[in-house]
């Protein structure tokens, strides 16, 4: 099997075969006409490499340093919700794969394993992503992440309202997952997924299981209807005051918004269009990356559409300090569980390394715009 899986697209195809349609559509889908999804991939072609020759690349280094720590690769696992629907224990499997690869793992607010369980079950450094649903709930989550030893907090700011994901609406995808005739039929066609699902039960939004919000319906309401659309610089400053460690804001596109975040005291920004899941027709982070990196002194991370090592290298050339992987590692998880995530990480590491050699750059930390040319 592994020999047939040579790139992320192969894992995507296997994930599509393994998962019932409703689950695959949740993983894969974007907002409205999904032009943003297509653009997130096509945008990489706007830049081509200009390889440097006669450079000794017999030894190469893909490790990087961020926030005072050495990481074995210039990418991290992005926060994604409902990973337990792809594979039981999905959050912990992703966290374990990240720990063994020595890359950061970011746990979503909408995880199926709790903040505390992930901290207990997986080694390695953990970062926590916060959806500000209601101020009070957000403050509780921040304190829980702090007490559980998370080192970095990421506030996602591109979800004032839920994205209009028409695949999910057509499929009547909802939390909790409703056992509809079409899900049952689809489950019969995907027996391995169904067996795992039956043995492990319905994934819950574990961070919201409490006396006040114990029912799955309440969890769903929390996640789908009560995002704080009024979140503003003062809300961000309040979180800054509560969190003593590194704080990043995720979902930035405009350079002046990045500057505003820094003025509010954050330690870096994550350029992201949420993988095309929120606003269709959004710019890709790649298109503003160089401007943002030139305007702020703090680290700039980027995600949305990264499927190849060469994509990651292009972003690093344009000024990113690190890239986040969303669907890429989820395809690995859905296709083959922990093994699949390990394999996707390994193949992206090897593609980054191969790209470095091909462009004549011995280390990711030496990458710069000099290795790229923008196509007109
Ligand atoms: C299934 C899925 C669930 C996601 N859930 C979250 C989430 O809970 N919090 C968040 O900040 N971003 C979430 N995202 C967005 C990712 O963090 C990331 O921005 C995006 O996946 C990057 O694009 P890519 O999938 O093309 O790599 C999710 C993305 C996917 C695909």
């Amino acid at each position: 099997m592994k020999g047939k899986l040579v790139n992320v697209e192969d894992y995507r195809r296997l994930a599509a075969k393994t998962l019932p349609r409703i689950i695959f559509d949740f993983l894969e889908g974007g907002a409205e006409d999904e032009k943003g999804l297509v653009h997130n991939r096509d945008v990489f072609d706007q830049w081509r490499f200009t390889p440097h020759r006669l450079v000794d690349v017999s030894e190469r280094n893909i490790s990087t340093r961020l926030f005072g720590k050495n990481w074995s690769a210039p990418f991290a696992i992005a926060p994604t919700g409902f990973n337990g629907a792809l594979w039981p224990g999905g959050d912990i499997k992703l966290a374990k794969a990240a720990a063994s690869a020595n890359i950061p793992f970011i746990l979503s607010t909408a995880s199926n394993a709790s903040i505390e369980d992930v901290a207990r079950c997986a080694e390695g450094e953990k970062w926590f992503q916060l959806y500000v649903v209601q101020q009070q709930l957000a403050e509780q989550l921040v304190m829980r992440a702090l007490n559980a030893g998370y080192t970095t907090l990421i506030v996602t700011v591109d979800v004032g309202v839920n994205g209009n994901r028409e695949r999910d609406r057509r499929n009547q995808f909802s939390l909790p997952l409703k056992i509809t005739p079409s899900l049952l039929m689809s489950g019969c066609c995907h027996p391995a997924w169904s067996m795992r699902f039956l043995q492990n039960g319905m994934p819950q939004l574990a961070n919201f299981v409490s006396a006040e919000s114990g029912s799955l319906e309440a969890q769903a309401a929390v996640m789908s209807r009560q995002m704080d659309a009024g979140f503003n610089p003062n809300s961000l400053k309040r979180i800054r005051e509560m969190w003593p460690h590194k704080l990043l804001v995720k979902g930035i596109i405009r350079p002046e918004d990045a500057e505003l975040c820094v003025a509010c005291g954050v330690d870096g920004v994550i350029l992201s269009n949420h993988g095309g899941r929120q606003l269709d027709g959004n710019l890709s982070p790649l298109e503003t990356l160089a401007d943002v990196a030139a305007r702020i002194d703090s680290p700039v991370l980027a995600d949305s559409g990264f499927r190849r090592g060469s994509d990651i290298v292009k972003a690093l050339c344009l000024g990113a300090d690190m890239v986040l992987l969303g669907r890429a590692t989820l395809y690995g998880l859905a296709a083959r569980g922990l093994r699949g995530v390990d394999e996707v990480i390994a193949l992206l590491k090897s593609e980054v390394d191969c790209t470095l050699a091909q462009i004549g750059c011995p280390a990711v930390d030496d990458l710069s715009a000099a290795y790229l040319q923008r196509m007109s």
Side-chain angles (χ1 to χ4, degrees):
M1 166 67 76
K2 193 179 161 210
K4 294 188 179 154
L5 299 166
V6 301
N7 59 28
V8 169
E9 174 60 18
D10 289 340
Y11 284 86
R12 191 188 79 83
R13 284 204 205 98
L14 185 54
K17 278 194 205 142
T18 310
L19 296 173
R21 184 64 194 259
I22 178 175
I23 305 293
F24 182 72
D25 278 349
F26 163 72
L27 157 60
E28 185 73 350
E32 299 188 344
D33 299 318
E34 301 192 338
K35 288 183 182 156
L37 275 188
V38 176
H39 182 64
N40 278 351
R41 291 295 305 130
D42 289 350
V43 74
F44 289 100
D45 292 336
Q46 287 182 23
W47 286 268
R48 295 284 164 107
F49 290 112
T50 51
H52 293 213
R53 298 299 183 216
L54 307 177
V55 177
D56 181 355
V57 285
S58 51
E59 283 184 21
R60 297 174 300 278
N61 183 3
I62 69 159
S63 69
T64 194
R65 208 169 158 75
L66 182 67
F67 297 139
K69 206 180 158 206
N70 290 325
W71 304 99
S72 299
F75 52 81
I77 297 189
T80 51
F82 220 47
N83 296 327
L86 309 182
W87 198 282
D91 300 297
I92 289 171
K93 291 193 164 49
L94 287 161
K96 284 188 168 168
S100 52
N102 185 33
I103 61 172
F105 167 74
I106 309 167
L107 183 72
S108 162
T109 291
S111 57
N112 299 127
S114 71
I115 294 171
E116 293 78 12
D117 280 351
V118 172
R120 227 181 347 258
C121 297
E123 291 177 356
E125 194 166 311
K126 263 109 19 200
W127 300 1
F128 180 66
Q129 174 266 324
L130 179 71
Y131 275 144
V132 178
V133 178
Q134 304 151 347
Q135 189 65 30
Q136 202 190 353
L137 203 50
E139 288 175 9
Q140 285 169 13
L141 290 167
V142 169
M143 291 319 293
R144 283 173 60 188
L146 188 59
N147 292 334
Y150 286 68
T151 58
T152 300
L153 181 70
I154 288 156
V155 183
T156 299
V157 295
D158 57 6
V159 288
V161 295
N162 269 348
N164 183 15
R165 294 178 210 156
E166 295 178 359
R167 293 199 208 200
D168 289 349
R169 288 172 59 199
R170 266 193 208 98
N171 292 335
Q172 296 181 298
F173 178 86
S174 65
L175 301 178
L177 261 186
K178 285 199 192 77
I179 309 292
T180 58
S182 76
L183 180 62
L184 281 176
M185 287 248 299
S186 188
C188 293
C189 302
H190 301 87
W193 179 89
S194 302
M195 282 306 292
R196 287 193 291 270
F197 193 78
L198 286 173
Q199 279 163 6
N200 292 277
M202 182 86 72
Q204 300 203 23
L205 296 178
N207 292 324
F208 296 100
V209 177
S210 70
E212 310 87 66
S213 57
S215 77
L216 285 169
E217 286 76 12
Q219 297 172 42
V222 161
M223 288 315 301
S224 61
R225 285 190 286 278
Q226 294 175 33
M227 295 295 180
D228 184 358
F231 193 82
N232 60 39
N234 288 333
S235 327
L236 182 57
K237 283 181 199 156
R238 271 204 297 279
I239 293 175
R240 174 69 287 182
E241 280 160 20
M242 292 179 64
W243 182 257
H245 306 309
K246 298 293 179 199
L247 176 66
L248 303 177
V249 171
K250 173 171 181 279
I252 298 297
I253 291 288
R254 301 172 73 101
E256 59 271 34
D257 287 351
E259 287 176 321
L260 177 61
C261 289
V262 173
C264 290
V266 309
D267 300 291
V269 295
I270 302 175
L271 304 189
S272 171
N273 64 24
H274 217 103
R277 293 163 80 79
Q278 284 297 109
L279 169 68
D280 205 12
N282 208 337
L283 281 178
S284 151
L286 221 63
E287 291 163 294
T288 60
L289 177 52
D291 283 348
V292 173
R295 293 262 279 266
I296 64 172
D297 282 335
S298 314
V300 178
L301 291 76
D303 73 23
S304 298
F306 289 83
R307 305 287 183 271
R308 284 280 186 192
S310 57
D311 302 338
I312 295 168
V313 171
K314 284 181 182 177
L316 300 175
C317 289
L318 291 170
D321 291 274
M322 193 172 260
V323 160
L324 269 52
L325 304 172
R327 292 181 186 82
T329 32
L330 294 185
Y331 296 146
L333 178 69
R336 278 157 69 78
L338 175 59
R339 199 167 33 167
V341 186
D342 287 338
E343 289 164 4
V344 167
I345 292 172
L347 80 82
L348 285 173
K349 274 184 170 176
S350 128
E351 286 185 2
V352 169
D353 177 66
C354 175
T355 307
L356 283 188
Q358 299 280 4
I359 65 173
C361 180
V364 290
D365 286 348
D366 296 338
L367 288 167
S368 73
Y371 292 91
L372 289 184
Q373 185 169 316
R374 191 165 193 172
M375 303 289 99
S376 45

